[in-house]
Amino acid sequence: MVSTNYDIIVVGAGIVGTSIAAHLSQTLAPHTRIALVAPAAQPAIDPEPFDPRVVALTDASRQLLEQLGVWRSVAEQRACPYRDMHVWDGEGAGHIEFSAHDLGRDTLGHIVEHRVLNQALERALELTAVERWQQPVSALLRQPDGSINGVELSTSETLQAPLIIAADGARSPLRKMAAIDERQWSYQQSAIVATVRSQAPHGLVARQRFMNTGPLALLPLIDTPQASDGHHCSIVWSADQAFADSLMALDDTEFCQALERHFERRLGTIEHVSTRHAFTLHQRHATRYAQPGLALVGDAAHSIHPLAGQGVNLGLLDVACLTRELQRAQERGLSTGEYATLRRYERQRMGHNLTMMAAMEGFKRLFGSRQPGLTLLRNRALSSVNTLPALKNLLAQQAMGLSL
């Protein structure tokens, strides 16, 4: 059996997996051997000009991507800044508006397509010394004391390291192999994503309407950094399952008409919709983020409702935190798999992630309620906060990751 030794093995090559592999390679001491275990990304073959899946990157996430040296590449391809955010209750008159100007900033964040971000991260990874293995993991290796010290690949080759980082997604095989429990439930909803062209320009404003069937967001896109007519948006329509199924069954013309009605024609006529995709929604949270020799990051540790677009941002905060703790451990001469180091990471990120997940669950239940009393209360609360600049700006800073 062939065995190769590393200092760190990262499993999973989505946005979070490639980010942490590249960040560790750049941050830790020279000659730190890092392996990334995941199939290489295949070139996208998509007739649509825009990727229907996008992420609303916070300023904290953008700063991390700048450290990785990939933000310039992302911005040169396609990253749409949004300067304002309008949120309103579709069952009443409550509303709140956030502005970058009020915070003394140029933007509240950027809307970036998954495809653009993945390609930039893959190119950055090629410039590092990270070694790539494309075979799937079939088992975790353990020492006699039970601590994890490597992985076995489907080819029976083994890779050994003091630390394995699981960045292999919401259904994380590594989390299951490590017998780490998770709490999960279905929202009984699906998120419909697509790109639309509207009659009125979006004006670099992110808009979201809350309805008792689920939230509907239209997020601004640009065609190129050099020229854009400002009429394209990415939609994320989270809807109760039966309603989502009925929306997916509509033809394009009928869907555009339904979108117009439910968005209260805020952007006029919806002139075109790309191919639609639907994803069932679940909330998952691992009961532990760490075991001796193992750390979970991103969706392998937590996945939440997309109503605030925080999933990838939480994963990138995991990346920043774990990298920082591993750098400190290395400076003290400790092993990369030191359990005390991984526990510090777990304590820092679990508390923050649970708070964010609880907040999103609260929003989902509050705006999904059909009780007249709650409808009146949430409308008054939204409009009241909109008149309190200090509180409103604090909420905006939290959402942007600026106070973390």
Side-chain angles (χ1 to χ4, degrees):
M1 183 182 292
V2 178
S3 183
T4 308
N5 295 321
Y6 293 94
D7 297 294
I8 299 172
I9 298 169
V10 179
V11 180
I15 290 172
V16 172
T18 49
S19 293
I20 197 163
H23 201 24
L24 290 171
S25 179
Q26 294 177 8
T27 304
L28 299 185
H31 312 301
T32 301
R33 292 197 70 191
I34 300 171
L36 177 63
V37 182
Q42 298 300 314
I45 301 175
D46 192 339
E48 301 287 352
F50 293 95
D51 185 349
R53 297 194 67 181
V54 302
V55 55
L57 289 177
T58 64
D59 201 60
S61 293
R62 180 190 58 77
Q63 290 173 18
L64 175 64
L65 294 174
E66 283 186 340
Q67 292 174 32
L68 293 176
V70 303
W71 179 250
R72 181 175 178 178
S73 173
V74 169
E76 286 175 350
Q77 290 184 73
R78 210 154 50 196
C80 184
Y82 59 98
R83 297 178 181 141
D84 298 275
M85 180 181 294
H86 298 170
V87 179
W88 71 99
D89 191 336
E91 314 301 327
H95 71 283
I96 188 168
E97 297 180 358
F98 299 100
S99 170
H101 180 269
D102 293 341
L103 294 170
R105 307 185 69 86
D106 294 328
T107 69
L108 293 177
H110 290 79
I111 306 301
V112 178
E113 297 156 68
H114 274 236
R115 183 169 63 209
V116 170
L117 185 51
N118 276 320
Q119 289 172 351
L121 286 166
E122 285 286 343
R123 284 194 295 271
L125 198 63
E126 291 172 358
L127 301 176
T128 70
V130 173
E131 298 178 37
R132 192 82 173 240
W133 295 78
Q134 298 192 29
Q135 302 86 347
V137 173
S138 58
L140 289 172
L141 305 179
R142 293 183 182 270
Q143 300 188 76
D145 63 3
S147 61
I148 294 167
N149 71 332
V151 297
E152 181 178 338
L153 306 181
S154 60
T155 54
S156 297
E157 295 169 287
T158 62
L159 311 180
Q160 294 188 308
L163 174 61
I164 313 300
I165 298 175
D168 52 344
R171 294 182 176 86
S172 172
L174 261 66
R175 185 185 63 226
K176 295 174 183 175
M177 292 176 193
I180 295 177
D181 292 332
E182 63 169 345
R183 300 186 183 94
Q184 71 140 320
W185 62 89
S186 170
Y187 283 112
Q188 303 299 316
Q189 289 185 334
S190 281
I192 299 171
V193 299
T195 303
V196 299
R197 178 178 172 83
S198 61
Q199 177 186 27
H202 53 63
L204 302 181
V205 178
R207 297 172 171 86
Q208 186 167 39
R209 182 189 186 216
F210 280 98
M211 300 171 284
N212 53 35
T213 55
L216 167 61
L218 266 71
L219 308 174
L221 297 172
I222 58 173
D223 301 274
T224 69
Q226 292 75 32
S228 175
D229 62 8
H231 290 262
H232 285 101
C233 290
S234 176
I235 68 164
V236 183
W237 194 344
S238 303
D240 292 342
Q241 195 59 58
F243 184 36
D245 291 342
S246 69
L247 290 171
M248 289 297 291
L250 299 176
D251 65 29
D252 287 353
T253 298
E254 294 169 333
F255 182 83
C256 287
Q257 292 170 348
L259 180 58
E260 282 176 34
R261 291 195 305 274
H262 285 87
F263 208 61
E264 300 177 344
R265 295 183 60 83
R266 295 282 177 117
L267 292 178
T269 302
I270 303 300
E271 300 173 341
H272 173 76
V273 61
S274 69
T275 303
R276 286 163 272 156
H277 303 267
F279 302 91
T280 56
L281 298 179
H282 296 81
Q283 177 159 260
R284 294 181 172 91
H285 192 255
T287 56
R288 302 171 65 184
Y289 288 7
Q291 277 187 5
L294 176 71
L296 309 182
V297 294
D299 285 354
H302 48 79
S303 55
I304 65 174
H305 197 285
L307 66 86
Q310 288 298 309
V312 169
N313 293 302
L314 293 180
L316 291 177
L317 288 173
D318 292 349
V319 169
C321 179
L322 182 54
T323 301
R324 186 170 58 248
E325 290 301 328
L326 290 173
Q327 185 179 27
R328 288 175 180 170
Q330 193 175 69
E331 289 169 352
R332 295 167 57 195
L334 300 175
S335 165
T336 53
E338 181 72 33
Y339 188 42
T341 300
L342 305 184
R343 288 282 290 138
R344 279 195 297 273
Y345 157 73
E346 180 182 67
R347 286 193 296 269
Q348 292 177 62
R349 294 303 304 142
M350 185 173 280
H352 176 259
N353 289 332
L354 282 170
T355 299
M356 181 63 74
M357 294 173 81
M360 294 306 98
E361 180 66 14
F363 270 110
K364 194 265 179 187
R365 294 192 180 193
L366 177 63
F367 285 93
S369 173
R370 290 175 168 81
Q371 297 181 26
L374 278 179
T375 301
L376 178 62
L377 176 64
R378 73 191 185 212
N379 273 271
R380 286 180 175 175
L382 270 180
S383 296
S384 296
V385 171
N386 198 45
T387 64
L388 300 172
L391 178 57
K392 184 169 68 170
N393 291 344
L394 177 62
L395 291 173
Q397 288 175 338
Q398 288 281 349
M400 294 167 69
L402 297 177
S403 58
L404 299 174

